[in-house]
Amino acid sequence: MPMLEVVDLSISFTQYAKGLQQKTVQVIQGLDLTVHAGELVAVVGSSGSGKSLLAHAIMGILPDNATMSGSLIFDGKPLNSERQAELRGKEIALVPQSVNYLDPLMKVGAQVRYSVRGADAASEQRKAFERYQLAPSVEQMFPFQLSGGMARRVLVSTATLSGARLIIADEPTPGLNPEVLQETLQQFRELANQGCAVLLITHDIEAALLIADRVAVFYAGTTVEIAAASDFTGDGDHLRHPYSKALWRALPQNGFIPIPGSQPLPNSLPLGCLFSPRCEKATAECFDTRPNMLPIKGGSARCFHVS
Ligand SMILES: Nc1ncnc2c1ncn2[C@@H]1O[C@H](COP(=O)(O)OP(=O)(O)OP(=O)(O)O)[C@@H](O)[C@H]1O
Ligand code: NI
C-alpha cells in the first residue's frame, strides 16, 4: 500500500475577467501519482507545470479560489481537509518553495524546535543546525536577518526534524552552496531509507537522479511519464514519452538539444495531447484526442506512440 496516493487530481482557478465575469482556468488535470514508504519520487518539469500546486493540494493549503477534484489518500485513508489540518507539520511536512513561509515574528531556533517531535527539542535543533552549517547564533535571529540560503537550510532542518512520514520538498536546493546541497540531498535520501515517503520537486533533474527511485515528469499540469530514475541514461532510449526524452537531451552533458516551442498556458491548452504542438511524432490522433496514462515497460506514459 502506498503512503501517498494521488488519484485523478484536477485543480482549477476561478478568476474574475472583465467586470463581474468569471472564468475558470484548469491548471492540473487527471494527475495520478503514488509514493511508497522508503521511496523517493522526484517531480520534474518546467516552470508553471503544476509542481507546487500538487504539493499545496497534498498539504491542504491551496488558495481560496482553487477548486480541486479527485482524491488524495494518505496511509490508506482519505486525506480530507480535517485530516490535512491534523497531520500537517506532524505526519506530513513541507519544505516550501518560498522562504516567506517562515514566521516573521518568531526567532528561528524556537521555530525549528516547535516542529521537533522527539524528546529533546533543543538538542535536536542544535544538531540539525550544525549539520546544515548554521551557526549557533542563528537560533536567536528573526527570519528577516537570514540570507536566502540560510532561510532555506532552516526550512529543511524543520522538515527533517518533524518526524513526518511523508516529506514534500518543493525546490529545496536553490541558493545552497555545493557542499550543503549534497548534504541536503543525502538527508532526503536518508529519510527515505529510514522509511519515509519523500516527494522531491525540482527543476534540477541531475540532482534528482542522484537520489530518486522514480521520477514523475510534469508537463502543462499533468504527468506525461513516470519512470525509474535508472531509465534516465544514455540517449534517453529507455524513456517512454517524447517530452521526457527531449528534457533529458536538453541537459548540457547530453548535447544541449533544445526543444522548440513552449509549454502551453493553462488558458490555451491544446485539444489533444498536451505536447502535440511540439512533438515530432505527433499524428492526427495526437491533435484530436488526449492520451491516457498507460503502463508501459515498467513505468507509465501518456503517449499514443510508445510501444
Ligand atoms: N492562485 C493562482 N491563481 C491562478 N493561477 C495560478 C495560481 N497559482 C498558480 N497558478 C497557475 O498554475 C500553474 C501551475 O503553477 P505552479 O506554481 O504549480 O507551477 P510550478 O511547476 O511549481 O512552477 P515553478 O517551477 O516555477 O515553481 C501556473 O500556470 C500558474 O500560473
Ligand atoms: Ni513551484
Side-chain angles (χ1 to χ4, degrees):
M1 182 180 72
M3 181 79 84
L4 173 73
E5 238 177 309
V6 177
V7 186
D8 199 20
L9 179 75
S10 293
I11 298 174
S12 59
F13 283 103
T14 308
Q15 290 173 329
Y16 285 94
K18 282 199 202 97
L20 288 175
Q21 270 180 353
Q22 286 188 353
K23 69 171 193 200
T24 303
V25 279
Q26 184 83 27
V27 288
I28 290 205
Q29 46 263 318
L31 190 150
D32 296 313
L33 191 69
T34 56
V35 192
H36 291 82
E39 190 184 37
L40 192 150
V41 176
V43 170
V44 302
S46 53
S47 193
S49 59
K51 305 182 299 294
S52 293
L53 287 176
L54 168 67
H56 296 176
I58 299 166
M59 298 303 294
I61 54 169
L62 287 171
D64 288 344
N65 64 333
T67 309
M68 190 188 112
S69 68
S71 46
L72 300 170
I73 297 159
F74 175 71
D75 202 15
K77 289 189 269 301
L79 189 56
N80 53 26
S81 41
E82 291 80 48
R83 201 152 167 254
Q84 281 169 324
E86 196 182 304
L87 303 183
R88 198 158 44 222
K90 301 186 182 88
E91 300 275 303
I92 306 178
L94 174 71
V95 181
Q97 181 167 13
S98 165
V99 294
N100 298 333
Y101 282 79
L102 285 166
D103 182 341
L105 302 177
M106 195 171 173
K107 288 183 181 169
V108 296
Q111 244 174 101
V112 174
R113 287 196 292 275
Y114 186 71
S115 64
V116 178
R117 235 192 320 165
D120 190 349
S123 95
E124 294 287 314
Q125 174 254 306
R126 290 197 180 114
K127 271 191 266 174
F129 273 25
E130 208 178 312
R131 195 180 313 125
Y132 290 105
Q133 302 182 2
L134 292 160
S137 56
V138 174
E139 268 179 58
Q140 298 302 322
M141 290 182 178
F142 286 98
F144 78 90
Q145 297 171 299
L146 306 179
S147 70
M150 283 160 90
R152 204 156 276 290
R153 280 178 273 153
V154 169
L155 288 169
V156 175
S157 341
T158 309
T160 54
L161 292 177
S162 64
R165 289 193 291 156
L166 170 63
I167 308 231
I168 303 170
D170 191 356
E171 298 281 4
T173 53
L176 300 182
N177 70 45
E179 196 186 328
V180 179
L181 176 105
Q182 286 298 330
E183 169 67 39
T184 308
L185 292 173
Q186 280 317 318
Q187 190 72 27
F188 288 121
R189 183 65 251 174
E190 191 54 33
L191 287 165
N193 293 349
Q194 289 164 9
C196 288
V198 182
L199 194 63
L200 173 73
I201 296 172
T202 180
H203 281 99
D204 189 346
I205 302 187
E206 286 176 272
L209 291 175
L210 296 173
I211 53 167
D213 297 299
R214 290 189 298 139
V215 178
V217 180
F218 271 42
Y219 188 75
T222 197
T223 42
V224 291
E225 171 159 358
I226 296 179
S230 56
D231 290 342
F232 288 79
T233 180
D235 290 341
D237 294 336
H238 293 289
L239 294 169
R240 298 149 192 85
H241 196 281
Y243 177 67
S244 321
K245 289 178 193 267
L247 204 58
W248 176 241
R249 288 172 189 159
L251 292 179
Q253 72 273 29
N254 298 338
F256 233 143
I257 306 160
I259 322 169
S262 56
Q263 177 177 256
L265 292 171
N267 56 8
S268 58
L269 295 179
L271 175 69
C273 171
L274 296 168
F275 190 58
S276 58
R278 301 172 76 185
C279 186
E280 286 177 353
K281 289 199 170 167
T283 55
E285 185 183 24
C286 307
F287 293 107
D288 294 345
T289 315
R290 211 165 276 175
N292 289 324
M293 196 76 171
L294 292 175
I296 173 154
K297 293 193 284 190
S300 53
R302 215 181 266 282
C303 176
F304 295 121
H305 299 292
V306 277
S307 51

